Amino acid sequence: VAEQHRLVVEGAQRIQALERAVASARTALHSVERSRQAGLRTVLDILDAEDRLQRAQLEVRFARYQYLLARVRLQALCGGDGATELGRLTFLQGRQTS
């Protein structure tokens, strides 16, 4: 139970950090695109910035999956219904991304 609780707490913190990384990668991509328009960057620089953004977004998705899994396991270990918890968390997750 303690391990799953730790994973839940750390997972929430990791998601927040990774969401900041996504925002940073988005800003960097925008900057590179503007620099390209000014003739200071190449298409390769844009592709590299897009790749970093995609990787950061993938990391957020994976961290969310790990977080949800830890929450369901914790709920199940505490005697709750893991399926109900999963449904509730999935609903909340969908509301956050909309």
Side-chain angles (χ1 to χ4, degrees):
V1 171
E3 174 71 12
Q4 292 307 313
H5 181 265
R6 183 186 62 77
L7 290 173
V8 167
V9 172
E10 289 177 1
Q13 294 169 347
R14 179 170 168 74
I15 290 168
Q16 289 175 348
L18 290 171
E19 285 174 343
R20 287 190 298 271
V22 167
S24 177
R26 229 181 239 119
T27 301
L29 174 59
H30 179 71
S31 296
V32 170
E33 288 171 340
R34 299 279 302 210
S35 295
R36 169 72 174 124
Q37 292 171 351
L40 302 173
R41 297 288 185 134
T42 66
V43 173
L44 186 58
D45 294 324
I46 292 174
L47 292 174
D48 184 47
E50 287 175 346
D51 182 60
R52 282 183 297 215
L53 175 59
Q54 293 297 319
R55 288 176 189 267
Q57 289 172 333
L58 181 62
E59 285 185 51
V60 169
R61 288 185 190 105
F62 185 67
R64 285 181 180 152
Y65 165 76
Q66 289 177 318
Y67 172 78
L68 290 172
L69 190 58
R71 287 279 307 254
V72 168
R73 286 180 177 160
L74 180 61
Q75 185 72 19
L77 288 171
C78 292
D81 182 9
T84 301
E85 178 71 1
L86 180 60
R88 186 179 74 76
L89 290 171
T90 304
F91 172 74
L92 291 174
Q93 201 68 20
R95 287 182 47 199
Q96 288 177 351
T97 58
S98 334

PDB file of all heavy atoms in Angstrom, residues 60-85:
ATOM      1  N   VAL A  60       4.266  12.596 -21.137  1.00  0.00           N
ATOM      2  CA  VAL A  60       3.125  12.979 -20.296  1.00  0.00           C
ATOM      3  C   VAL A  60       2.060  11.891 -20.345  1.00  0.00           C
ATOM      4  O   VAL A  60       1.510  11.494 -19.313  1.00  0.00           O
ATOM      5  CB  VAL A  60       2.520  14.335 -20.723  1.00  0.00           C
ATOM      6  CG1 VAL A  60       1.195  14.587 -20.034  1.00  0.00           C
ATOM      7  CG2 VAL A  60       3.479  15.456 -20.410  1.00  0.00           C
ATOM      8  N   ARG A  61       1.773  11.398 -21.530  1.00  0.00           N
ATOM      9  CA  ARG A  61       0.760  10.346 -21.665  1.00  0.00           C
ATOM     10  C   ARG A  61       1.157   9.098 -20.879  1.00  0.00           C
ATOM     11  O   ARG A  61       0.330   8.495 -20.198  1.00  0.00           O
ATOM     12  CB  ARG A  61       0.543  10.010 -23.133  1.00  0.00           C
ATOM     13  CG  ARG A  61      -0.193  11.081 -23.876  1.00  0.00           C
ATOM     14  CD  ARG A  61      -0.487  10.658 -25.310  1.00  0.00           C
ATOM     15  NE  ARG A  61      -0.985  11.782 -26.059  1.00  0.00           N
ATOM     16  CZ  ARG A  61      -0.284  12.471 -26.955  1.00  0.00           C
ATOM     17  NH1 ARG A  61       0.958  12.109 -27.242  1.00  0.00           N
ATOM     18  NH2 ARG A  61      -0.809  13.495 -27.590  1.00  0.00           N
ATOM     19  N   PHE A  62       2.415   8.715 -20.973  1.00  0.00           N
ATOM     20  CA  PHE A  62       2.876   7.530 -20.259  1.00  0.00           C
ATOM     21  C   PHE A  62       2.833   7.754 -18.747  1.00  0.00           C
ATOM     22  O   PHE A  62       2.443   6.867 -17.985  1.00  0.00           O
ATOM     23  CB  PHE A  62       4.281   7.137 -20.714  1.00  0.00           C
ATOM     24  CG  PHE A  62       4.760   5.853 -20.113  1.00  0.00           C
ATOM     25  CD1 PHE A  62       4.151   4.647 -20.435  1.00  0.00           C
ATOM     26  CD2 PHE A  62       5.794   5.848 -19.199  1.00  0.00           C
ATOM     27  CE1 PHE A  62       4.577   3.454 -19.868  1.00  0.00           C
ATOM     28  CE2 PHE A  62       6.233   4.668 -18.625  1.00  0.00           C
ATOM     29  CZ  PHE A  62       5.625   3.469 -18.960  1.00  0.00           C
ATOM     30  N   ALA A  63       3.206   8.954 -18.300  1.00  0.00           N
ATOM     31  CA  ALA A  63       3.161   9.270 -16.869  1.00  0.00           C
ATOM     32  C   ALA A  63       1.728   9.234 -16.362  1.00  0.00           C
ATOM     33  O   ALA A  63       1.470   8.765 -15.251  1.00  0.00           O
ATOM     34  CB  ALA A  63       3.792  10.639 -16.612  1.00  0.00           C
ATOM     35  N   ARG A  64       0.791   9.714 -17.158  1.00  0.00           N
ATOM     36  CA  ARG A  64      -0.621   9.653 -16.768  1.00  0.00           C
ATOM     37  C   ARG A  64      -1.094   8.213 -16.649  1.00  0.00           C
ATOM     38  O   ARG A  64      -1.832   7.855 -15.729  1.00  0.00           O
ATOM     39  CB  ARG A  64      -1.487  10.409 -17.774  1.00  0.00           C
ATOM     40  CG  ARG A  64      -1.378  11.899 -17.637  1.00  0.00           C
ATOM     41  CD  ARG A  64      -2.269  12.597 -18.622  1.00  0.00           C
ATOM     42  NE  ARG A  64      -2.152  14.040 -18.475  1.00  0.00           N
ATOM     43  CZ  ARG A  64      -2.352  14.896 -19.433  1.00  0.00           C
ATOM     44  NH1 ARG A  64      -2.693  14.480 -20.645  1.00  0.00           N
ATOM     45  NH2 ARG A  64      -2.234  16.188 -19.215  1.00  0.00           N
ATOM     46  N   TYR A  65      -0.667   7.376 -17.592  1.00  0.00           N
ATOM     47  CA  TYR A  65      -1.020   5.953 -17.539  1.00  0.00           C
ATOM     48  C   TYR A  65      -0.483   5.325 -16.254  1.00  0.00           C
ATOM     49  O   TYR A  65      -1.211   4.623 -15.551  1.00  0.00           O
ATOM     50  CB  TYR A  65      -0.459   5.232 -18.766  1.00  0.00           C
ATOM     51  CG  TYR A  65      -0.456   3.733 -18.629  1.00  0.00           C
ATOM     52  CD1 TYR A  65      -1.636   3.011 -18.751  1.00  0.00           C
ATOM     53  CD2 TYR A  65       0.719   3.041 -18.357  1.00  0.00           C
ATOM     54  CE1 TYR A  65      -1.636   1.624 -18.605  1.00  0.00           C
ATOM     55  CE2 TYR A  65       0.729   1.674 -18.208  1.00  0.00           C
ATOM     56  CZ  TYR A  65      -0.452   0.971 -18.333  1.00  0.00           C
ATOM     57  OH  TYR A  65      -0.452  -0.382 -18.174  1.00  0.00           O
ATOM     58  N   GLN A  66       0.780   5.591 -15.934  1.00  0.00           N
ATOM     59  CA  GLN A  66       1.375   5.032 -14.721  1.00  0.00           C
ATOM     60  C   GLN A  66       0.657   5.548 -13.474  1.00  0.00           C
ATOM     61  O   GLN A  66       0.443   4.796 -12.523  1.00  0.00           O
ATOM     62  CB  GLN A  66       2.856   5.390 -14.653  1.00  0.00           C
ATOM     63  CG  GLN A  66       3.690   4.651 -15.668  1.00  0.00           C
ATOM     64  CD  GLN A  66       5.141   5.082 -15.619  1.00  0.00           C
ATOM     65  OE1 GLN A  66       5.445   6.260 -15.499  1.00  0.00           O
ATOM     66  NE2 GLN A  66       6.037   4.110 -15.705  1.00  0.00           N
ATOM     67  N   TYR A  67       0.283   6.815 -13.474  1.00  0.00           N
ATOM     68  CA  TYR A  67      -0.431   7.403 -12.352  1.00  0.00           C
ATOM     69  C   TYR A  67      -1.786   6.734 -12.159  1.00  0.00           C
ATOM     70  O   TYR A  67      -2.160   6.356 -11.052  1.00  0.00           O
ATOM     71  CB  TYR A  67      -0.603   8.903 -12.598  1.00  0.00           C
ATOM     72  CG  TYR A  67      -1.500   9.594 -11.609  1.00  0.00           C
ATOM     73  CD1 TYR A  67      -1.037   9.922 -10.335  1.00  0.00           C
ATOM     74  CD2 TYR A  67      -2.802   9.924 -11.939  1.00  0.00           C
ATOM     75  CE1 TYR A  67      -1.861  10.553  -9.422  1.00  0.00           C
ATOM     76  CE2 TYR A  67      -3.630  10.561 -11.029  1.00  0.00           C
ATOM     77  CZ  TYR A  67      -3.155  10.875  -9.779  1.00  0.00           C
ATOM     78  OH  TYR A  67      -3.976  11.493  -8.874  1.00  0.00           O
ATOM     79  N   LEU A  68      -2.529   6.576 -13.259  1.00  0.00           N
ATOM     80  CA  LEU A  68      -3.840   5.931 -13.175  1.00  0.00           C
ATOM     81  C   LEU A  68      -3.719   4.497 -12.672  1.00  0.00           C
ATOM     82  O   LEU A  68      -4.511   4.050 -11.839  1.00  0.00           O
ATOM     83  CB  LEU A  68      -4.542   5.948 -14.534  1.00  0.00           C
ATOM     84  CG  LEU A  68      -5.020   7.300 -15.026  1.00  0.00           C
ATOM     85  CD1 LEU A  68      -5.518   7.198 -16.463  1.00  0.00           C
ATOM     86  CD2 LEU A  68      -6.105   7.849 -14.133  1.00  0.00           C
ATOM     87  N   LEU A  69      -2.726   3.802 -13.166  1.00  0.00           N
ATOM     88  CA  LEU A  69      -2.509   2.420 -12.738  1.00  0.00           C
ATOM     89  C   LEU A  69      -2.201   2.358 -11.241  1.00  0.00           C
ATOM     90  O   LEU A  69      -2.751   1.508 -10.521  1.00  0.00           O
ATOM     91  CB  LEU A  69      -1.371   1.804 -13.553  1.00  0.00           C
ATOM     92  CG  LEU A  69      -1.146   0.314 -13.411  1.00  0.00           C
ATOM     93  CD1 LEU A  69      -2.407  -0.463 -13.789  1.00  0.00           C
ATOM     94  CD2 LEU A  69       0.011  -0.111 -14.288  1.00  0.00           C
ATOM     95  N   ALA A  70      -1.368   3.255 -10.757  1.00  0.00           N
ATOM     96  CA  ALA A  70      -1.041   3.277  -9.331  1.00  0.00           C
ATOM     97  C   ALA A  70      -2.272   3.606  -8.496  1.00  0.00           C
ATOM     98  O   ALA A  70      -2.487   3.023  -7.430  1.00  0.00           O
ATOM     99  CB  ALA A  70       0.078   4.283  -9.062  1.00  0.00           C
ATOM    100  N   ARG A  71      -3.115   4.539  -8.983  1.00  0.00           N
ATOM    101  CA  ARG A  71      -4.336   4.886  -8.236  1.00  0.00           C
ATOM    102  C   ARG A  71      -5.278   3.697  -8.150  1.00  0.00           C
ATOM    103  O   ARG A  71      -5.863   3.433  -7.102  1.00  0.00           O
ATOM    104  CB  ARG A  71      -5.071   6.057  -8.919  1.00  0.00           C
ATOM    105  CG  ARG A  71      -4.455   7.414  -8.790  1.00  0.00           C
ATOM    106  CD  ARG A  71      -4.763   8.098  -7.468  1.00  0.00           C
ATOM    107  NE  ARG A  71      -6.156   8.177  -7.129  1.00  0.00           N
ATOM    108  CZ  ARG A  71      -6.894   9.283  -7.177  1.00  0.00           C
ATOM    109  NH1 ARG A  71      -6.355  10.411  -7.582  1.00  0.00           N
ATOM    110  NH2 ARG A  71      -8.151   9.264  -6.805  1.00  0.00           N
ATOM    111  N   VAL A  72      -5.433   2.982  -9.253  1.00  0.00           N
ATOM    112  CA  VAL A  72      -6.325   1.821  -9.257  1.00  0.00           C
ATOM    113  C   VAL A  72      -5.779   0.733  -8.338  1.00  0.00           C
ATOM    114  O   VAL A  72      -6.525   0.136  -7.563  1.00  0.00           O
ATOM    115  CB  VAL A  72      -6.518   1.294 -10.700  1.00  0.00           C
ATOM    116  CG1 VAL A  72      -7.196  -0.066 -10.705  1.00  0.00           C
ATOM    117  CG2 VAL A  72      -7.314   2.293 -11.520  1.00  0.00           C
ATOM    118  N   ARG A  73      -4.482   0.494  -8.404  1.00  0.00           N
ATOM    119  CA  ARG A  73      -3.880  -0.517  -7.523  1.00  0.00           C
ATOM    120  C   ARG A  73      -4.023  -0.126  -6.064  1.00  0.00           C
ATOM    121  O   ARG A  73      -4.332  -0.969  -5.218  1.00  0.00           O
ATOM    122  CB  ARG A  73      -2.410  -0.711  -7.876  1.00  0.00           C
ATOM    123  CG  ARG A  73      -2.200  -1.477  -9.152  1.00  0.00           C
ATOM    124  CD  ARG A  73      -0.737  -1.632  -9.442  1.00  0.00           C
ATOM    125  NE  ARG A  73      -0.528  -2.440 -10.633  1.00  0.00           N
ATOM    126  CZ  ARG A  73       0.584  -2.444 -11.336  1.00  0.00           C
ATOM    127  NH1 ARG A  73       1.597  -1.682 -10.972  1.00  0.00           N
ATOM    128  NH2 ARG A  73       0.690  -3.193 -12.400  1.00  0.00           N
ATOM    129  N   LEU A  74      -3.807   1.143  -5.755  1.00  0.00           N
ATOM    130  CA  LEU A  74      -3.951   1.607  -4.380  1.00  0.00           C
ATOM    131  C   LEU A  74      -5.383   1.426  -3.907  1.00  0.00           C
ATOM    132  O   LEU A  74      -5.616   0.935  -2.798  1.00  0.00           O
ATOM    133  CB  LEU A  74      -3.542   3.084  -4.267  1.00  0.00           C
ATOM    134  CG  LEU A  74      -3.644   3.707  -2.878  1.00  0.00           C
ATOM    135  CD1 LEU A  74      -2.725   2.987  -1.895  1.00  0.00           C
ATOM    136  CD2 LEU A  74      -3.303   5.188  -2.956  1.00  0.00           C
ATOM    137  N   GLN A  75      -6.331   1.788  -4.739  1.00  0.00           N
ATOM    138  CA  GLN A  75      -7.745   1.631  -4.387  1.00  0.00           C
ATOM    139  C   GLN A  75      -8.072   0.153  -4.141  1.00  0.00           C
ATOM    140  O   GLN A  75      -8.754  -0.183  -3.182  1.00  0.00           O
ATOM    141  CB  GLN A  75      -8.630   2.196  -5.502  1.00  0.00           C
ATOM    142  CG  GLN A  75     -10.095   2.198  -5.208  1.00  0.00           C
ATOM    143  CD  GLN A  75     -10.471   3.234  -4.170  1.00  0.00           C
ATOM    144  OE1 GLN A  75      -9.736   4.168  -3.917  1.00  0.00           O
ATOM    145  NE2 GLN A  75     -11.612   3.070  -3.559  1.00  0.00           N
ATOM    146  N   ALA A  76      -7.571  -0.716  -4.994  1.00  0.00           N
ATOM    147  CA  ALA A  76      -7.834  -2.140  -4.844  1.00  0.00           C
ATOM    148  C   ALA A  76      -7.190  -2.687  -3.564  1.00  0.00           C
ATOM    149  O   ALA A  76      -7.798  -3.492  -2.850  1.00  0.00           O
ATOM    150  CB  ALA A  76      -7.322  -2.900  -6.057  1.00  0.00           C
ATOM    151  N   LEU A  77      -5.969  -2.247  -3.259  1.00  0.00           N
ATOM    152  CA  LEU A  77      -5.296  -2.701  -2.043  1.00  0.00           C
ATOM    153  C   LEU A  77      -5.994  -2.214  -0.785  1.00  0.00           C
ATOM    154  O   LEU A  77      -5.926  -2.863   0.256  1.00  0.00           O
ATOM    155  CB  LEU A  77      -3.841  -2.216  -2.037  1.00  0.00           C
ATOM    156  CG  LEU A  77      -2.904  -2.915  -3.017  1.00  0.00           C
ATOM    157  CD1 LEU A  77      -1.560  -2.200  -3.062  1.00  0.00           C
ATOM    158  CD2 LEU A  77      -2.721  -4.370  -2.634  1.00  0.00           C
ATOM    159  N   CYS A  78      -6.683  -1.095  -0.880  1.00  0.00           N
ATOM    160  CA  CYS A  78      -7.399  -0.538   0.280  1.00  0.00           C
ATOM    161  C   CYS A  78      -8.806  -1.094   0.404  1.00  0.00           C
ATOM    162  O   CYS A  78      -9.582  -0.661   1.248  1.00  0.00           O
ATOM    163  CB  CYS A  78      -7.443   0.988   0.182  1.00  0.00           C
ATOM    164  SG  CYS A  78      -5.833   1.745   0.375  1.00  0.00           S
ATOM    165  N   GLY A  79      -9.145  -2.051  -0.455  1.00  0.00           N
ATOM    166  CA  GLY A  79     -10.447  -2.697  -0.364  1.00  0.00           C
ATOM    167  C   GLY A  79     -11.523  -2.043  -1.201  1.00  0.00           C
ATOM    168  O   GLY A  79     -12.688  -2.399  -1.100  1.00  0.00           O
ATOM    169  N   GLY A  80     -11.156  -1.106  -2.024  1.00  0.00           N
ATOM    170  CA  GLY A  80     -12.133  -0.437  -2.878  1.00  0.00           C
ATOM    171  C   GLY A  80     -12.297  -1.158  -4.195  1.00  0.00           C
ATOM    172  O   GLY A  80     -11.661  -2.172  -4.473  1.00  0.00           O
ATOM    173  N   ASP A  81     -13.165  -0.617  -5.016  1.00  0.00           N
ATOM    174  CA  ASP A  81     -13.423  -1.167  -6.341  1.00  0.00           C
ATOM    175  C   ASP A  81     -12.519  -0.458  -7.345  1.00  0.00           C
ATOM    176  O   ASP A  81     -12.756   0.694  -7.701  1.00  0.00           O
ATOM    177  CB  ASP A  81     -14.903  -0.973  -6.699  1.00  0.00           C
ATOM    178  CG  ASP A  81     -15.252  -1.561  -8.047  1.00  0.00           C
ATOM    179  OD1 ASP A  81     -14.410  -2.258  -8.632  1.00  0.00           O
ATOM    180  OD2 ASP A  81     -16.372  -1.309  -8.518  1.00  0.00           O
ATOM    181  N   GLY A  82     -11.487  -1.125  -7.787  1.00  0.00           N
ATOM    182  CA  GLY A  82     -10.543  -0.540  -8.735  1.00  0.00           C
ATOM    183  C   GLY A  82     -11.193  -0.125 -10.039  1.00  0.00           C
ATOM    184  O   GLY A  82     -10.817   0.874 -10.638  1.00  0.00           O
ATOM    185  N   ALA A  83     -12.195  -0.877 -10.498  1.00  0.00           N
ATOM    186  CA  ALA A  83     -12.864  -0.543 -11.761  1.00  0.00           C
ATOM    187  C   ALA A  83     -13.622   0.771 -11.644  1.00  0.00           C
ATOM    188  O   ALA A  83     -13.605   1.603 -12.559  1.00  0.00           O
ATOM    189  CB  ALA A  83     -13.805  -1.672 -12.163  1.00  0.00           C
ATOM    190  N   THR A  84     -14.280   1.000 -10.511  1.00  0.00           N
ATOM    191  CA  THR A  84     -14.998   2.256 -10.303  1.00  0.00           C
ATOM    192  C   THR A  84     -14.013   3.417 -10.253  1.00  0.00           C
ATOM    193  O   THR A  84     -14.253   4.468 -10.833  1.00  0.00           O
ATOM    194  CB  THR A  84     -15.815   2.200  -8.997  1.00  0.00           C
ATOM    195  OG1 THR A  84     -16.723   1.108  -9.085  1.00  0.00           O
ATOM    196  CG2 THR A  84     -16.577   3.480  -8.766  1.00  0.00           C
ATOM    197  N   GLU A  85     -12.911   3.221  -9.575  1.00  0.00           N
ATOM    198  CA  GLU A  85     -11.877   4.256  -9.493  1.00  0.00           C
ATOM    199  C   GLU A  85     -11.329   4.567 -10.873  1.00  0.00           C
ATOM    200  O   GLU A  85     -11.143   5.721 -11.229  1.00  0.00           O
ATOM    201  CB  GLU A  85     -10.749   3.801  -8.555  1.00  0.00           C
ATOM    202  CG  GLU A  85      -9.610   4.776  -8.433  1.00  0.00           C
ATOM    203  CD  GLU A  85      -9.950   6.036  -7.649  1.00  0.00           C
ATOM    204  OE1 GLU A  85     -11.079   6.185  -7.165  1.00  0.00           O
ATOM    205  OE2 GLU A  85      -9.064   6.894  -7.531  1.00  0.00           O
TER     206      GLU A  85
END
